Amino acid sequence: GKWHMGVNCKSRRDHCHHPLNHGFDYFYGMPFTLLNECQGTDDPELAKSLQDTYWLYTEMIIFAVLTLLIGKLTNLFSVKWKVIICLAICGLLYFISWFSSYGFTRYWNCILMRNHDITEQPMNLEKITSKMLKEAVSFIERNKYKPFLLFVSLLHVHTPLVTTKKFQGRSRHGLYGDNVEEMDWMVGRLLDVIDKEGLKNTTFIYFASDHGGSLEAHRGNAQFGGWNGIFKGGKGMGGWEGGIRVPGIVRWPGVFPAGTVINELTSLMDLFPTVVQLAGGAVPQDRVIDGRTLLPLLRGTEQHSRHEFMFHYCGAFLHAVRWYQKDSGTIWKAHYATPVFQPEASGACFGRGICPCFGEGVTHHDPLLLFDLSRDPSEANPLSVATEPLFSAVTRRIGKAVEEHRKTLTPVPEQLSPYNNIWKPWLQPCCGTFPLCWCDEEKTKA
């Protein structure tokens, strides 16, 4: 399914970010994200957020190049030609990125891959549901006689809400509801295959979402990004509950008691040590592992989560910290930064299209913005020194936990920097001769 971690680092064929370079033996899906451009009918999604930025950088660099050029030619100041040429090349790249965002995104970024090969460019969204399902079923059938890990990252419940005709109009919640119903049907099909192949009692199944609903996603008055219930905020907001609190549904007949509801703090990072333990392995001991195995909690041998603190990031920036105070059972949540909603009381960043993680679109809190999630899961009533006697003690303890947490972090190259997000033609996956990238595995076979 959707990998969304990119493909290449230095050349078109190095595939440094590819799943097969990160522990997987087989891959079928999208290396990038699913965009409105992939459908070809909706308003641009990637272009809308990037076009203005690309054009601003292009104008700034052109101005800088012209200034340096005039200064050098008139001997007003000394500057090397190498600097001017490098700046001009950067300006050209930003211009090409701006220009390509007006129509080439679908042909270059909406692709399907099988292992290291591109099978479809651009991909056919009308057939994507059946293809993903077919691949997942085939994988189970091929590996049913040995242990396997199957990670299915569905393209559903994500704009542009690609839904087959069979499910369109079925839900009273519009296209989003239709999309949820089709996703539910797909999950049911996979469970049926597990049961049919006699794997029901030997297979650990975990179903979850990677984030809360995207509140800003809409077409006209129709909301396309889901609903987060009583929880504030949504997708892209690293601190608010609506962005990070999602369902986790587990199935393993004969091992986990059916119908059990566990209201404890867990994280998707817990899946790693859980799967390692199930496979009979041991997690690496040369680094701090943020996840905790879920098995004692799921089996009922432990009643409480092994997490005391959770650190919630937006990009590379720490936005909030959650503290489970075990002696009192209180769950505190302290926000270091929160996005500025547009409009102010909307609970989302409709003006920007997506909430930023830093800069002018973020409010930094000093003192910290503190909530008691045990009594206020909606984060509607911020606490203060005047209203909460433990305010100072709680914020001090959370501050100490942040200091300890930061000591465990190893600096890495910033993957979200402007340079790393600018389009680089020499890294563009292409199944033809760039920029003419078109192919279809099915048509070629036919």
Side-chain angles (χ1 to χ4, degrees):
K2 189 177 75 156
W3 175 243
H4 199 175
M5 301 294 283
V7 182
N8 302 317
C9 286
K10 296 181 179 178
S11 71
R12 191 171 293 162
R13 297 295 299 174
D14 68 26
H15 290 183
C16 68
H17 298 304
H18 194 281
L20 269 59
N21 277 353
H22 292 272
F24 289 91
D25 301 309
Y26 181 81
F27 170 65
Y28 181 83
M30 290 188 72
F32 308 127
T33 189
L34 186 63
L35 299 161
N36 285 346
E37 287 92 328
C38 295
Q39 199 164 25
T41 55
D42 290 343
D43 294 332
E45 182 178 355
L46 184 68
K48 182 175 66 175
S49 60
L50 293 181
Q51 279 167 355
D52 291 343
T53 304
Y54 285 151
W55 185 243
L56 175 63
Y57 280 121
T58 301
E59 288 181 314
M60 289 169 59
I61 293 172
I62 289 173
F63 179 76
V65 168
L66 289 175
T67 302
L68 294 176
L69 198 58
I70 292 169
K72 184 170 182 66
L73 295 176
T74 57
N75 294 319
L76 285 174
F77 46 81
S78 176
V79 62
K80 293 182 179 180
W81 280 109
K82 190 183 292 185
V83 174
I84 297 175
I85 292 170
C86 285
L87 266 177
I89 291 172
C90 284
L92 180 63
L93 281 175
Y94 273 109
F95 174 78
I96 293 173
S97 297
W98 170 79
F99 181 77
S100 66
S101 69
Y102 277 91
F104 293 102
T105 301
R106 177 170 178 260
Y107 292 95
W108 289 341
N109 293 336
C110 301
I111 64 177
L112 276 180
M113 296 184 78
R114 178 179 286 104
N115 294 326
H116 288 294
D117 299 320
I118 298 174
T119 62
E120 223 173 85
Q121 189 174 14
M123 66 177 185
N124 184 343
L125 289 187
E126 292 180 4
K127 298 181 178 180
I128 194 66
T129 298
S130 59
K131 287 181 177 179
M132 290 290 178
L133 197 54
K134 181 181 177 182
E135 287 285 337
V137 170
S138 175
F139 181 87
I140 294 170
E141 291 173 345
R142 289 198 309 272
N143 293 279
K144 62 185 177 183
Y145 295 116
K146 58 183 179 181
F148 65 82
L149 169 69
L150 171 61
F151 172 33
V152 183
S153 182
L154 298 166
L155 303 185
H156 281 62
V157 198
H158 188 294
T159 55
L161 299 178
V162 179
T163 310
T164 58
K165 291 181 180 179
K166 178 182 175 183
F167 285 90
Q168 288 176 12
R170 285 179 51 157
S171 169
R172 61 189 178 93
H173 296 288
L175 184 58
Y176 186 89
D178 296 341
N179 205 249
V180 171
E181 289 203 15
E182 183 163 51
M183 178 195 69
D184 183 61
W185 171 79
M186 291 178 73
V187 173
R189 285 291 308 277
L190 293 176
L191 294 180
D192 289 344
V193 173
I194 292 287
D195 295 351
K196 188 189 82 172
E197 299 296 344
L199 304 173
K200 182 176 182 178
N201 295 328
T202 55
T203 304
F204 171 79
I205 296 170
Y206 185 99
F207 175 87
S209 176
D210 52 348
H211 51 68
S214 174
L215 301 179
E216 292 88 359
H218 65 281
R219 184 192 291 164
N221 294 324
Q223 191 171 335
F224 269 21
W227 178 64
N228 297 320
I230 66 169
F231 304 114
K232 182 179 285 187
K235 175 185 176 180
M237 304 180 208
W240 293 119
E241 289 293 277
I244 54 181
R245 188 188 284 243
V246 297
I249 304 172
V250 180
R251 189 186 89 152
W252 194 357
V255 179
F256 302 148
T260 304
V261 177
I262 299 173
N263 189 25
E264 288 289 313
L265 304 170
T266 65
S267 163
L268 285 178
M269 289 188 288
D270 295 337
L271 273 180
F272 172 64
T274 302
V275 169
V276 168
Q277 184 179 351
L278 284 171
V283 297
Q285 299 299 307
D286 61 343
R287 71 204 71 179
V288 174
I289 301 296
D290 295 303
R292 305 284 186 269
T293 177
L294 293 169
L295 294 181
L297 201 59
L298 294 171
R299 283 177 169 146
T301 56
E302 291 184 7
Q303 301 305 311
H304 298 290
S305 168
R306 294 184 177 183
H307 289 282
E308 183 178 7
F309 292 94
M310 284 187 176
F311 304 92
H312 302 300
Y313 282 79
C314 183
F317 301 90
L318 181 66
H319 271 211
V321 179
R322 183 189 307 260
W323 177 27
Y324 176 32
Q325 193 177 11
K326 295 187 179 180
D327 56 353
S328 67
T330 306
I331 302 172
W332 305 100
K333 176 95 159 290
H335 291 262
Y336 283 80
T338 53
V340 177
F341 293 144
Q342 299 172 327
E344 189 176 343
S346 65
C349 301
F350 292 106
R352 293 174 178 265
I354 186 171
C355 287
C357 297
F358 63 95
E360 294 179 358
V362 165
T363 301
H364 294 273
H365 299 283
D366 186 14
L368 300 180
L369 189 63
L370 184 67
F371 297 93
D372 177 357
L373 295 184
S374 320
R375 294 179 294 177
D376 181 23
S378 300
E379 297 174 281
N381 304 300
L383 304 173
S384 66
V385 176
T387 61
E388 177 52 65
L390 296 174
F391 184 92
S392 298
V394 169
T395 53
R396 273 199 307 271
R397 180 65 187 95
I398 287 175
K400 184 181 177 183
V402 170
E403 287 180 21
E404 294 169 355
H405 163 68
R406 283 182 169 148
K407 289 176 185 175
T408 71
L409 302 178
T410 303
V412 295
E414 177 56 72
Q415 294 191 24
L416 300 177
S417 66
Y419 174 76
N420 283 328
N421 279 270
I422 187 175
W423 176 66
K424 302 177 182 70
W426 59 89
L427 298 182
Q428 181 67 49
C430 182
C431 61
T433 303
F434 185 81
L436 304 176
C437 306
W438 288 279
C439 61
D440 188 329
E441 182 184 59
E442 284 189 357
K443 289 182 180 178
T444 303
K445 286 180 178 178

